[in-house]
Amino acid sequence: MHSLPDRLDAGSPYPLGATFDGLGVNFAVFSANADRIDLCLFDPSGKREIGRIALPECTDEVFHGYLPDAEPGLLYGYRAHGRYAPEEGHRFNPNKLLLDPYARKLAGQIKWTDALHGYKVGHAREDLSFDKRDSAPAMPKAVVVDDHWDWSRDRRPNTPWSETVIYEAHVKGLTKLMELVPARERGTYAALGHPAVIAHLKRIGVTALELLPIHAFTQDRFLQEKGLKNYWGYNTLGFFAPEQAYMASDHQDELRRAVHRLHKAGIEVILDVVYNHTCEGSEKGPTLSWRGLDNASYYRLVKDQPRYSINDTGTGNTLNLSKARVIQMVADSLRYWATSFGIDGFRFDLGLTLGREDDGFDPGAAFFDVLRQDPVLGRLKLMGEPWDVGPGGYQLGNFPPGFAEWNDKYRDTVRRFWRGDAGQRGELAARLAGSGDLFDRRARRPWASINLISAHDGFTLADTVMYEERHNEANKEDNRDGHSENYARNWGAEGPTDDAAINDARGRVMRSMLTTLLASLGTPMLVAGDEFGRTQQGNNNAYCQDNAISWLDWNAAASEDGQRQIDYVARLADLRRRYPVLRAATFLYGQDSPGQGINDIEWWDERGQQLSAADWDNPEGRALMMRRATRNEAGELEAVSLLLNASSEPITFHLPPPHTARIVLIDSAKPDQGETRIDDSYEVAPQGAVLLTWTGELEA
């Protein structure tokens, strides 16, 4: 770029962000309440401000200007002028360098200092005071990019929801210890597309890789002061910029290349995204971007007391998705990831917050409408976390059509059933059948229920059978953080043990829970490592553990026990593919018969009798058989039965009519047993789960 001009050209208010057109860069940033916004330019190191020029025009509350001859690689930020009136919701302070909310790449890291705050930390007037120190030396800088990528040869897998199997993973944790990946690529975006990763995902039947947040995020000050890190990444600093710590190179194309390779293997990529809050925290947090550009527009503020942020998210602030420009920012971000990085879907962290209006959650909120009608986003996989910590903060089943939802009732019910809790049989049946009591409305389908038995947040599957109490001492919060109730059972010893009987029970329960998951209607989600028994040593809130507690131990996966469990999961996924009735696309209520008096779904007990109302209500009933039937592609009658025994003794199931030869497909107590032909009864081990089938026409 030549010497800087005294004044920018007018440029255009659209698109927002910094856009290179081959001859220069257009800058556009929204603020409804600023008086002036300055563009600040920096040398390549980001340490020296080399120019500060006011954006010359403001159109529809968008400040904009054009810098001729500017090129990709240019480092920049903004300073916003306006009233510093916190009691009115305004926190403009031009001494604070602000990141562009649309920045597509960041250079440098936040260096925590009190100068990042718009007020004087420790002052008697707290956030009503005003800090005049320049925050630029402590701030990362936005980078102008030219991120064109030719996706014309890419083919999205477009896996039907009913055939989807999700695998939740962390970019770094997935491959940091995977020796088959080159050392410099371990723990990076590049590794996601490595043949060893793809081969493993294909082996266990995964169709979609769901990544924990990869939007640029902050390393929280309080964690750094304790020698810990923000590992999960739920504290967004930039909604358009990939987190730089996961880069093996300096070029963001490595993420695009990985997505392209996953697509070629038939695997979709879903991002966990955090649009409910930002990293700026409460009104006493730092001024890094949105707060300094327009606090009163970007955030929900307490009515009649706009000095204070509404905290429906538990993180100090809540983005205001009632504002058109805030909705636009989120929709533009989603569309950017979908079109520039080939992303196939999104999981919305605290998704309930995105549907909040002034009077509470609204499934008809503008944000949901915008996504559903969008020609790009409306075709992607969209799923929400249907809770937050605000009023009415639990809305499972109440999202609009087009969205799937994380089903924590499924998780808790499955865990309680298999640990032996009383009175779970009826509740479990509802979860096995796709949670129609929650989702069968407005033409929604079973896939709307994201079925999980574990997630990044909480115990791993192995820890659910190894620990009854959380062990979060490594988080340095006196073991007070994380869920207190995990519906877990250690089966006789807290933590690892050499007791063969305990380990046998633990393995059987894990396999039974995995069988339940893959045989339920709905969309199954596996958590990375559960397929081989990964442990976090009892830590159920490892958000700050960027170490071996969180990283996948691929040596454990290669062990005999690890390989046995991986093979078991692979068999389950294969059965789910082979038998469409295991993943039925519509709800089944036992009212539609595929023929000959056999209903599409039926429930039986171990006696081979259909359950009465009293049987369903029997608190000690721990045996259940679910049979689903359909016509296969050959026109034959095909039934698959799931036999569950959560009691402490073996139970012989007497199988109901028709009396015909069955084949046991898989037995959690006999993981190495192949498919076995049986007749009219079958013994199911304690805490055992069995899938069996029969096919053919019945005799007249």
Side-chain angles (χ1 to χ4, degrees), residues 167 172-181 186 196-197 200-201 203-204 528-529 531-532 534 551-559 562-563 566:
Y167 186 83
K172 184 174 184 179
L174 180 61
T175 62
K176 183 63 178 176
L177 301 179
M178 184 179 266
E179 295 180 359
L180 293 174
V181 173
R186 292 174 198 160
V197 173
H200 179 73
L201 297 179
R203 177 181 174 187
I204 60 174
E531 72 273 23
F532 59 79
R534 181 178 78 93
W551 303 341
L552 268 64
D553 182 354
W554 289 101
N555 287 329
S559 69
Q563 287 296 302
I566 290 172

PDB file of all heavy atoms in Angstrom, residues 167 172-181 186 196-197 200-201 203-204 528-529 531-532 534 551-559 562-563 566:
ATOM      1  N   TYR A 167     -20.761 -37.275  15.824  1.00  0.00           N
ATOM      2  CA  TYR A 167     -19.589 -37.537  16.661  1.00  0.00           C
ATOM      3  C   TYR A 167     -19.081 -36.190  17.153  1.00  0.00           C
ATOM      4  O   TYR A 167     -18.577 -35.386  16.372  1.00  0.00           O
ATOM      5  CB  TYR A 167     -18.536 -38.250  15.816  1.00  0.00           C
ATOM      6  CG  TYR A 167     -17.295 -38.752  16.517  1.00  0.00           C
ATOM      7  CD1 TYR A 167     -17.289 -39.969  17.189  1.00  0.00           C
ATOM      8  CD2 TYR A 167     -16.094 -38.045  16.444  1.00  0.00           C
ATOM      9  CE1 TYR A 167     -16.131 -40.461  17.778  1.00  0.00           C
ATOM     10  CE2 TYR A 167     -14.926 -38.529  17.025  1.00  0.00           C
ATOM     11  CZ  TYR A 167     -14.953 -39.733  17.695  1.00  0.00           C
ATOM     12  OH  TYR A 167     -13.792 -40.223  18.267  1.00  0.00           O
ATOM     13  N   LYS A 172      -8.515 -29.889  18.896  1.00  0.00           N
ATOM     14  CA  LYS A 172      -7.194 -30.227  19.436  1.00  0.00           C
ATOM     15  C   LYS A 172      -7.198 -31.604  20.086  1.00  0.00           C
ATOM     16  O   LYS A 172      -6.347 -32.444  19.809  1.00  0.00           O
ATOM     17  CB  LYS A 172      -6.758 -29.175  20.449  1.00  0.00           C
ATOM     18  CG  LYS A 172      -5.347 -29.410  20.998  1.00  0.00           C
ATOM     19  CD  LYS A 172      -4.904 -28.261  21.896  1.00  0.00           C
ATOM     20  CE  LYS A 172      -3.464 -28.453  22.361  1.00  0.00           C
ATOM     21  NZ  LYS A 172      -3.010 -27.319  23.221  1.00  0.00           N
ATOM     22  N   GLY A 173      -8.196 -31.837  20.941  1.00  0.00           N
ATOM     23  CA  GLY A 173      -8.214 -33.080  21.706  1.00  0.00           C
ATOM     24  C   GLY A 173      -8.317 -34.327  20.860  1.00  0.00           C
ATOM     25  O   GLY A 173      -7.816 -35.394  21.242  1.00  0.00           O
ATOM     26  N   LEU A 174      -8.945 -34.216  19.704  1.00  0.00           N
ATOM     27  CA  LEU A 174      -9.153 -35.385  18.852  1.00  0.00           C
ATOM     28  C   LEU A 174      -7.837 -35.987  18.387  1.00  0.00           C
ATOM     29  O   LEU A 174      -7.679 -37.213  18.357  1.00  0.00           O
ATOM     30  CB  LEU A 174     -10.019 -35.007  17.652  1.00  0.00           C
ATOM     31  CG  LEU A 174     -10.346 -36.114  16.651  1.00  0.00           C
ATOM     32  CD1 LEU A 174     -11.130 -37.236  17.310  1.00  0.00           C
ATOM     33  CD2 LEU A 174     -11.133 -35.545  15.465  1.00  0.00           C
ATOM     34  N   THR A 175      -6.884 -35.154  18.008  1.00  0.00           N
ATOM     35  CA  THR A 175      -5.678 -35.677  17.349  1.00  0.00           C
ATOM     36  C   THR A 175      -4.369 -35.311  18.039  1.00  0.00           C
ATOM     37  O   THR A 175      -3.305 -35.677  17.551  1.00  0.00           O
ATOM     38  CB  THR A 175      -5.598 -35.173  15.893  1.00  0.00           C
ATOM     39  OG1 THR A 175      -5.510 -33.734  15.896  1.00  0.00           O
ATOM     40  CG2 THR A 175      -6.820 -35.607  15.103  1.00  0.00           C
ATOM     41  N   LYS A 176      -4.413 -34.593  19.167  1.00  0.00           N
ATOM     42  CA  LYS A 176      -3.172 -34.158  19.811  1.00  0.00           C
ATOM     43  C   LYS A 176      -2.257 -35.332  20.126  1.00  0.00           C
ATOM     44  O   LYS A 176      -1.019 -35.223  20.064  1.00  0.00           O
ATOM     45  CB  LYS A 176      -3.501 -33.384  21.092  1.00  0.00           C
ATOM     46  CG  LYS A 176      -2.286 -32.820  21.818  1.00  0.00           C
ATOM     47  CD  LYS A 176      -1.557 -31.790  20.965  1.00  0.00           C
ATOM     48  CE  LYS A 176      -0.371 -31.207  21.730  1.00  0.00           C
ATOM     49  NZ  LYS A 176       0.406 -30.279  20.869  1.00  0.00           N
ATOM     50  N   LEU A 177      -2.826 -36.481  20.466  1.00  0.00           N
ATOM     51  CA  LEU A 177      -2.024 -37.657  20.835  1.00  0.00           C
ATOM     52  C   LEU A 177      -2.094 -38.757  19.778  1.00  0.00           C
ATOM     53  O   LEU A 177      -1.728 -39.899  20.061  1.00  0.00           O
ATOM     54  CB  LEU A 177      -2.504 -38.200  22.187  1.00  0.00           C
ATOM     55  CG  LEU A 177      -2.432 -37.233  23.369  1.00  0.00           C
ATOM     56  CD1 LEU A 177      -2.972 -37.893  24.629  1.00  0.00           C
ATOM     57  CD2 LEU A 177      -1.004 -36.741  23.589  1.00  0.00           C
ATOM     58  N   MET A 178      -2.549 -38.426  18.569  1.00  0.00           N
ATOM     59  CA  MET A 178      -2.677 -39.440  17.516  1.00  0.00           C
ATOM     60  C   MET A 178      -1.365 -39.531  16.731  1.00  0.00           C
ATOM     61  O   MET A 178      -1.051 -38.676  15.907  1.00  0.00           O
ATOM     62  CB  MET A 178      -3.838 -39.097  16.584  1.00  0.00           C
ATOM     63  CG  MET A 178      -4.096 -40.159  15.523  1.00  0.00           C
ATOM     64  SD  MET A 178      -5.498 -39.772  14.425  1.00  0.00           S
ATOM     65  CE  MET A 178      -6.830 -40.637  15.231  1.00  0.00           C
ATOM     66  N   GLU A 179      -0.612 -40.586  16.995  1.00  0.00           N
ATOM     67  CA  GLU A 179       0.726 -40.696  16.411  1.00  0.00           C
ATOM     68  C   GLU A 179       0.714 -40.939  14.909  1.00  0.00           C
ATOM     69  O   GLU A 179       1.733 -40.722  14.239  1.00  0.00           O
ATOM     70  CB  GLU A 179       1.506 -41.805  17.127  1.00  0.00           C
ATOM     71  CG  GLU A 179       1.770 -41.480  18.601  1.00  0.00           C
ATOM     72  CD  GLU A 179       2.543 -42.577  19.308  1.00  0.00           C
ATOM     73  OE1 GLU A 179       2.861 -43.598  18.646  1.00  0.00           O
ATOM     74  OE2 GLU A 179       2.825 -42.421  20.508  1.00  0.00           O
ATOM     75  N   LEU A 180      -0.409 -41.388  14.357  1.00  0.00           N
ATOM     76  CA  LEU A 180      -0.476 -41.588  12.911  1.00  0.00           C
ATOM     77  C   LEU A 180      -0.499 -40.269  12.148  1.00  0.00           C
ATOM     78  O   LEU A 180      -0.257 -40.243  10.940  1.00  0.00           O
ATOM     79  CB  LEU A 180      -1.727 -42.409  12.560  1.00  0.00           C
ATOM     80  CG  LEU A 180      -1.733 -43.859  13.051  1.00  0.00           C
ATOM     81  CD1 LEU A 180      -3.084 -44.500  12.774  1.00  0.00           C
ATOM     82  CD2 LEU A 180      -0.617 -44.657  12.382  1.00  0.00           C
ATOM     83  N   VAL A 181      -0.791 -39.181  12.847  1.00  0.00           N
ATOM     84  CA  VAL A 181      -0.818 -37.855  12.238  1.00  0.00           C
ATOM     85  C   VAL A 181       0.559 -37.222  12.391  1.00  0.00           C
ATOM     86  O   VAL A 181       1.175 -37.348  13.458  1.00  0.00           O
ATOM     87  CB  VAL A 181      -1.895 -36.976  12.920  1.00  0.00           C
ATOM     88  CG1 VAL A 181      -1.841 -35.543  12.420  1.00  0.00           C
ATOM     89  CG2 VAL A 181      -3.276 -37.574  12.689  1.00  0.00           C
ATOM     90  N   ARG A 186      -0.749 -32.422  14.526  1.00  0.00           N
ATOM     91  CA  ARG A 186      -1.583 -32.950  15.609  1.00  0.00           C
ATOM     92  C   ARG A 186      -2.269 -31.808  16.355  1.00  0.00           C
ATOM     93  O   ARG A 186      -1.651 -30.803  16.676  1.00  0.00           O
ATOM     94  CB  ARG A 186      -0.748 -33.787  16.573  1.00  0.00           C
ATOM     95  CG  ARG A 186      -0.233 -35.072  15.969  1.00  0.00           C
ATOM     96  CD  ARG A 186       0.718 -35.800  16.903  1.00  0.00           C
ATOM     97  NE  ARG A 186       1.513 -36.769  16.142  1.00  0.00           N
ATOM     98  CZ  ARG A 186       2.661 -37.290  16.550  1.00  0.00           C
ATOM     99  NH1 ARG A 186       3.142 -36.939  17.744  1.00  0.00           N
ATOM    100  NH2 ARG A 186       3.324 -38.143  15.798  1.00  0.00           N
ATOM    101  N   ALA A 196      -6.108 -41.154   8.717  1.00  0.00           N
ATOM    102  CA  ALA A 196      -6.306 -41.954   9.930  1.00  0.00           C
ATOM    103  C   ALA A 196      -7.563 -41.517  10.674  1.00  0.00           C
ATOM    104  O   ALA A 196      -8.287 -42.353  11.234  1.00  0.00           O
ATOM    105  CB  ALA A 196      -5.084 -41.828  10.843  1.00  0.00           C
ATOM    106  N   VAL A 197      -7.827 -40.215  10.698  1.00  0.00           N
ATOM    107  CA  VAL A 197      -9.030 -39.707  11.355  1.00  0.00           C
ATOM    108  C   VAL A 197     -10.265 -40.157  10.587  1.00  0.00           C
ATOM    109  O   VAL A 197     -11.239 -40.661  11.163  1.00  0.00           O
ATOM    110  CB  VAL A 197      -8.982 -38.168  11.466  1.00  0.00           C
ATOM    111  CG1 VAL A 197     -10.314 -37.622  11.985  1.00  0.00           C
ATOM    112  CG2 VAL A 197      -7.842 -37.738  12.378  1.00  0.00           C
ATOM    113  N   HIS A 200     -11.053 -43.840  10.999  1.00  0.00           N
ATOM    114  CA  HIS A 200     -11.671 -44.166  12.291  1.00  0.00           C
ATOM    115  C   HIS A 200     -13.143 -43.774  12.297  1.00  0.00           C
ATOM    116  O   HIS A 200     -13.998 -44.545  12.752  1.00  0.00           O
ATOM    117  CB  HIS A 200     -10.932 -43.450  13.420  1.00  0.00           C
ATOM    118  CG  HIS A 200     -11.518 -43.716  14.774  1.00  0.00           C
ATOM    119  ND1 HIS A 200     -11.379 -44.925  15.421  1.00  0.00           N
ATOM    120  CD2 HIS A 200     -12.284 -42.938  15.598  1.00  0.00           C
ATOM    121  CE1 HIS A 200     -12.016 -44.885  16.574  1.00  0.00           C
ATOM    122  NE2 HIS A 200     -12.579 -43.693  16.713  1.00  0.00           N
ATOM    123  N   LEU A 201     -13.449 -42.596  11.796  1.00  0.00           N
ATOM    124  CA  LEU A 201     -14.845 -42.151  11.767  1.00  0.00           C
ATOM    125  C   LEU A 201     -15.696 -43.080  10.907  1.00  0.00           C
ATOM    126  O   LEU A 201     -16.822 -43.431  11.271  1.00  0.00           O
ATOM    127  CB  LEU A 201     -14.930 -40.717  11.253  1.00  0.00           C
ATOM    128  CG  LEU A 201     -14.237 -39.639  12.106  1.00  0.00           C
ATOM    129  CD1 LEU A 201     -14.389 -38.266  11.448  1.00  0.00           C
ATOM    130  CD2 LEU A 201     -14.799 -39.607  13.522  1.00  0.00           C
ATOM    131  N   ARG A 203     -15.080 -46.207  10.280  1.00  0.00           N
ATOM    132  CA  ARG A 203     -15.151 -47.522  10.935  1.00  0.00           C
ATOM    133  C   ARG A 203     -16.308 -47.581  11.922  1.00  0.00           C
ATOM    134  O   ARG A 203     -17.012 -48.595  12.000  1.00  0.00           O
ATOM    135  CB  ARG A 203     -13.828 -47.805  11.658  1.00  0.00           C
ATOM    136  CG  ARG A 203     -13.799 -49.118  12.438  1.00  0.00           C
ATOM    137  CD  ARG A 203     -12.462 -49.292  13.147  1.00  0.00           C
ATOM    138  NE  ARG A 203     -12.443 -50.464  14.014  1.00  0.00           N
ATOM    139  CZ  ARG A 203     -11.455 -50.763  14.849  1.00  0.00           C
ATOM    140  NH1 ARG A 203     -10.393 -49.955  14.910  1.00  0.00           N
ATOM    141  NH2 ARG A 203     -11.520 -51.837  15.615  1.00  0.00           N
ATOM    142  N   ILE A 204     -16.550 -46.503  12.669  1.00  0.00           N
ATOM    143  CA  ILE A 204     -17.594 -46.533  13.692  1.00  0.00           C
ATOM    144  C   ILE A 204     -18.910 -45.942  13.186  1.00  0.00           C
ATOM    145  O   ILE A 204     -19.837 -45.717  13.971  1.00  0.00           O
ATOM    146  CB  ILE A 204     -17.146 -45.813  14.975  1.00  0.00           C
ATOM    147  CG1 ILE A 204     -16.803 -44.342  14.695  1.00  0.00           C
ATOM    148  CG2 ILE A 204     -15.980 -46.541  15.618  1.00  0.00           C
ATOM    149  CD1 ILE A 204     -16.493 -43.544  15.959  1.00  0.00           C
ATOM    150  N   ALA A 528     -16.541 -38.089  21.313  1.00  0.00           N
ATOM    151  CA  ALA A 528     -15.233 -38.623  20.945  1.00  0.00           C
ATOM    152  C   ALA A 528     -14.584 -39.346  22.122  1.00  0.00           C
ATOM    153  O   ALA A 528     -14.422 -38.776  23.202  1.00  0.00           O
ATOM    154  CB  ALA A 528     -14.330 -37.493  20.454  1.00  0.00           C
ATOM    155  N   GLY A 529     -14.227 -40.575  21.893  1.00  0.00           N
ATOM    156  CA  GLY A 529     -13.580 -41.391  22.910  1.00  0.00           C
ATOM    157  C   GLY A 529     -14.495 -42.365  23.601  1.00  0.00           C
ATOM    158  O   GLY A 529     -14.030 -43.370  24.143  1.00  0.00           O
ATOM    159  N   GLU A 531     -16.320 -44.365  22.247  1.00  0.00           N
ATOM    160  CA  GLU A 531     -16.292 -45.618  21.500  1.00  0.00           C
ATOM    161  C   GLU A 531     -15.170 -46.542  21.977  1.00  0.00           C
ATOM    162  O   GLU A 531     -15.155 -47.722  21.624  1.00  0.00           O
ATOM    163  CB  GLU A 531     -16.167 -45.355  19.991  1.00  0.00           C
ATOM    164  CG  GLU A 531     -14.809 -44.860  19.514  1.00  0.00           C
ATOM    165  CD  GLU A 531     -14.653 -43.346  19.590  1.00  0.00           C
ATOM    166  OE1 GLU A 531     -15.384 -42.702  20.381  1.00  0.00           O
ATOM    167  OE2 GLU A 531     -13.788 -42.800  18.865  1.00  0.00           O
ATOM    168  N   PHE A 532     -14.221 -46.018  22.762  1.00  0.00           N
ATOM    169  CA  PHE A 532     -13.204 -46.926  23.309  1.00  0.00           C
ATOM    170  C   PHE A 532     -13.039 -46.784  24.823  1.00  0.00           C
ATOM    171  O   PHE A 532     -12.098 -47.318  25.414  1.00  0.00           O
ATOM    172  CB  PHE A 532     -11.852 -46.754  22.602  1.00  0.00           C
ATOM    173  CG  PHE A 532     -11.238 -45.377  22.677  1.00  0.00           C
ATOM    174  CD1 PHE A 532     -10.570 -44.943  23.811  1.00  0.00           C
ATOM    175  CD2 PHE A 532     -11.313 -44.525  21.586  1.00  0.00           C
ATOM    176  CE1 PHE A 532      -9.991 -43.688  23.868  1.00  0.00           C
ATOM    177  CE2 PHE A 532     -10.740 -43.260  21.630  1.00  0.00           C
ATOM    178  CZ  PHE A 532     -10.068 -42.837  22.774  1.00  0.00           C
ATOM    179  N   ARG A 534     -13.001 -43.797  26.882  1.00  0.00           N
ATOM    180  CA  ARG A 534     -12.148 -42.692  27.358  1.00  0.00           C
ATOM    181  C   ARG A 534     -12.602 -42.210  28.731  1.00  0.00           C
ATOM    182  O   ARG A 534     -13.797 -42.042  28.984  1.00  0.00           O
ATOM    183  CB  ARG A 534     -12.207 -41.517  26.375  1.00  0.00           C
ATOM    184  CG  ARG A 534     -11.342 -40.335  26.783  1.00  0.00           C
ATOM    185  CD  ARG A 534     -11.405 -39.236  25.740  1.00  0.00           C
ATOM    186  NE  ARG A 534     -12.634 -38.463  25.824  1.00  0.00           N
ATOM    187  CZ  ARG A 534     -12.760 -37.330  26.533  1.00  0.00           C
ATOM    188  NH1 ARG A 534     -11.751 -36.876  27.242  1.00  0.00           N
ATOM    189  NH2 ARG A 534     -13.907 -36.664  26.535  1.00  0.00           N
ATOM    190  N   TRP A 551      -7.601 -34.723  26.239  1.00  0.00           N
ATOM    191  CA  TRP A 551      -7.182 -35.244  24.934  1.00  0.00           C
ATOM    192  C   TRP A 551      -7.481 -36.740  24.827  1.00  0.00           C
ATOM    193  O   TRP A 551      -7.391 -37.483  25.803  1.00  0.00           O
ATOM    194  CB  TRP A 551      -5.686 -35.025  24.736  1.00  0.00           C
ATOM    195  CG  TRP A 551      -5.256 -33.589  24.847  1.00  0.00           C
ATOM    196  CD1 TRP A 551      -6.037 -32.469  24.737  1.00  0.00           C
ATOM    197  CD2 TRP A 551      -3.929 -33.126  25.126  1.00  0.00           C
ATOM    198  NE1 TRP A 551      -5.283 -31.335  24.914  1.00  0.00           N
ATOM    199  CE2 TRP A 551      -3.987 -31.702  25.150  1.00  0.00           C
ATOM    200  CE3 TRP A 551      -2.709 -33.755  25.338  1.00  0.00           C
ATOM    201  CZ2 TRP A 551      -2.852 -30.924  25.391  1.00  0.00           C
ATOM    202  CZ3 TRP A 551      -1.579 -32.988  25.577  1.00  0.00           C
ATOM    203  CH2 TRP A 551      -1.656 -31.588  25.596  1.00  0.00           C
ATOM    204  N   LEU A 552      -7.814 -37.187  23.629  1.00  0.00           N
ATOM    205  CA  LEU A 552      -8.086 -38.607  23.401  1.00  0.00           C
ATOM    206  C   LEU A 552      -6.799 -39.424  23.477  1.00  0.00           C
ATOM    207  O   LEU A 552      -5.795 -39.075  22.841  1.00  0.00           O
ATOM    208  CB  LEU A 552      -8.754 -38.824  22.041  1.00  0.00           C
ATOM    209  CG  LEU A 552     -10.293 -38.813  22.043  1.00  0.00           C
ATOM    210  CD1 LEU A 552     -10.816 -37.444  22.447  1.00  0.00           C
ATOM    211  CD2 LEU A 552     -10.829 -39.203  20.677  1.00  0.00           C
ATOM    212  N   ASP A 553      -6.855 -40.490  24.260  1.00  0.00           N
ATOM    213  CA  ASP A 553      -5.709 -41.380  24.444  1.00  0.00           C
ATOM    214  C   ASP A 553      -5.798 -42.500  23.415  1.00  0.00           C
ATOM    215  O   ASP A 553      -6.487 -43.496  23.621  1.00  0.00           O
ATOM    216  CB  ASP A 553      -5.718 -41.940  25.870  1.00  0.00           C
ATOM    217  CG  ASP A 553      -4.514 -42.839  26.148  1.00  0.00           C
ATOM    218  OD1 ASP A 553      -3.739 -43.119  25.203  1.00  0.00           O
ATOM    219  OD2 ASP A 553      -4.363 -43.280  27.304  1.00  0.00           O
ATOM    220  N   TRP A 554      -5.086 -42.322  22.313  1.00  0.00           N
ATOM    221  CA  TRP A 554      -5.187 -43.300  21.233  1.00  0.00           C
ATOM    222  C   TRP A 554      -4.445 -44.594  21.546  1.00  0.00           C
ATOM    223  O   TRP A 554      -4.683 -45.625  20.901  1.00  0.00           O
ATOM    224  CB  TRP A 554      -4.702 -42.689  19.917  1.00  0.00           C
ATOM    225  CG  TRP A 554      -5.682 -41.666  19.429  1.00  0.00           C
ATOM    226  CD1 TRP A 554      -5.594 -40.315  19.532  1.00  0.00           C
ATOM    227  CD2 TRP A 554      -6.956 -41.927  18.820  1.00  0.00           C
ATOM    228  NE1 TRP A 554      -6.712 -39.711  19.019  1.00  0.00           N
ATOM    229  CE2 TRP A 554      -7.568 -40.675  18.573  1.00  0.00           C
ATOM    230  CE3 TRP A 554      -7.640 -43.089  18.464  1.00  0.00           C
ATOM    231  CZ2 TRP A 554      -8.829 -40.560  17.973  1.00  0.00           C
ATOM    232  CZ3 TRP A 554      -8.889 -42.982  17.878  1.00  0.00           C
ATOM    233  CH2 TRP A 554      -9.462 -41.732  17.632  1.00  0.00           C
ATOM    234  N   ASN A 555      -3.551 -44.571  22.543  1.00  0.00           N
ATOM    235  CA  ASN A 555      -2.952 -45.828  23.002  1.00  0.00           C
ATOM    236  C   ASN A 555      -3.996 -46.679  23.708  1.00  0.00           C
ATOM    237  O   ASN A 555      -4.026 -47.901  23.551  1.00  0.00           O
ATOM    238  CB  ASN A 555      -1.771 -45.540  23.937  1.00  0.00           C
ATOM    239  CG  ASN A 555      -0.558 -45.018  23.187  1.00  0.00           C
ATOM    240  OD1 ASN A 555      -0.344 -45.366  22.021  1.00  0.00           O
ATOM    241  ND2 ASN A 555       0.227 -44.175  23.839  1.00  0.00           N
ATOM    242  N   ALA A 556      -4.858 -46.026  24.494  1.00  0.00           N
ATOM    243  CA  ALA A 556      -5.955 -46.764  25.133  1.00  0.00           C
ATOM    244  C   ALA A 556      -6.906 -47.320  24.077  1.00  0.00           C
ATOM    245  O   ALA A 556      -7.431 -48.422  24.218  1.00  0.00           O
ATOM    246  CB  ALA A 556      -6.703 -45.846  26.098  1.00  0.00           C
ATOM    247  N   ALA A 557      -7.122 -46.552  23.014  1.00  0.00           N
ATOM    248  CA  ALA A 557      -7.988 -47.027  21.930  1.00  0.00           C
ATOM    249  C   ALA A 557      -7.397 -48.259  21.260  1.00  0.00           C
ATOM    250  O   ALA A 557      -8.134 -49.128  20.779  1.00  0.00           O
ATOM    251  CB  ALA A 557      -8.201 -45.922  20.904  1.00  0.00           C
ATOM    252  N   ALA A 558      -6.070 -48.337  21.221  1.00  0.00           N
ATOM    253  CA  ALA A 558      -5.404 -49.461  20.554  1.00  0.00           C
ATOM    254  C   ALA A 558      -5.315 -50.698  21.451  1.00  0.00           C
ATOM    255  O   ALA A 558      -4.938 -51.775  20.972  1.00  0.00           O
ATOM    256  CB  ALA A 558      -3.998 -49.048  20.120  1.00  0.00           C
ATOM    257  N   SER A 559      -5.669 -50.569  22.722  1.00  0.00           N
ATOM    258  CA  SER A 559      -5.609 -51.717  23.636  1.00  0.00           C
ATOM    259  C   SER A 559      -6.668 -52.749  23.266  1.00  0.00           C
ATOM    260  O   SER A 559      -7.587 -52.481  22.485  1.00  0.00           O
ATOM    261  CB  SER A 559      -5.828 -51.251  25.074  1.00  0.00           C
ATOM    262  OG  SER A 559      -7.174 -50.828  25.248  1.00  0.00           O
ATOM    263  N   GLY A 562     -10.029 -51.482  24.290  1.00  0.00           N
ATOM    264  CA  GLY A 562     -10.421 -50.370  23.428  1.00  0.00           C
ATOM    265  C   GLY A 562     -10.898 -50.847  22.073  1.00  0.00           C
ATOM    266  O   GLY A 562     -11.931 -50.388  21.558  1.00  0.00           O
ATOM    267  N   GLN A 563     -10.163 -51.779  21.487  1.00  0.00           N
ATOM    268  CA  GLN A 563     -10.540 -52.296  20.171  1.00  0.00           C
ATOM    269  C   GLN A 563     -11.833 -53.096  20.235  1.00  0.00           C
ATOM    270  O   GLN A 563     -12.648 -53.045  19.304  1.00  0.00           O
ATOM    271  CB  GLN A 563      -9.407 -53.159  19.609  1.00  0.00           C
ATOM    272  CG  GLN A 563      -8.196 -52.361  19.149  1.00  0.00           C
ATOM    273  CD  GLN A 563      -8.521 -51.438  17.989  1.00  0.00           C
ATOM    274  OE1 GLN A 563      -8.972 -51.863  16.923  1.00  0.00           O
ATOM    275  NE2 GLN A 563      -8.303 -50.139  18.188  1.00  0.00           N
ATOM    276  N   ILE A 566     -14.574 -50.503  20.285  1.00  0.00           N
ATOM    277  CA  ILE A 566     -14.690 -49.868  18.965  1.00  0.00           C
ATOM    278  C   ILE A 566     -15.400 -50.805  17.996  1.00  0.00           C
ATOM    279  O   ILE A 566     -16.292 -50.395  17.240  1.00  0.00           O
ATOM    280  CB  ILE A 566     -13.297 -49.465  18.430  1.00  0.00           C
ATOM    281  CG1 ILE A 566     -12.735 -48.295  19.242  1.00  0.00           C
ATOM    282  CG2 ILE A 566     -13.375 -49.081  16.944  1.00  0.00           C
ATOM    283  CD1 ILE A 566     -11.292 -47.961  18.925  1.00  0.00           C
TER     284      ILE A 566
END
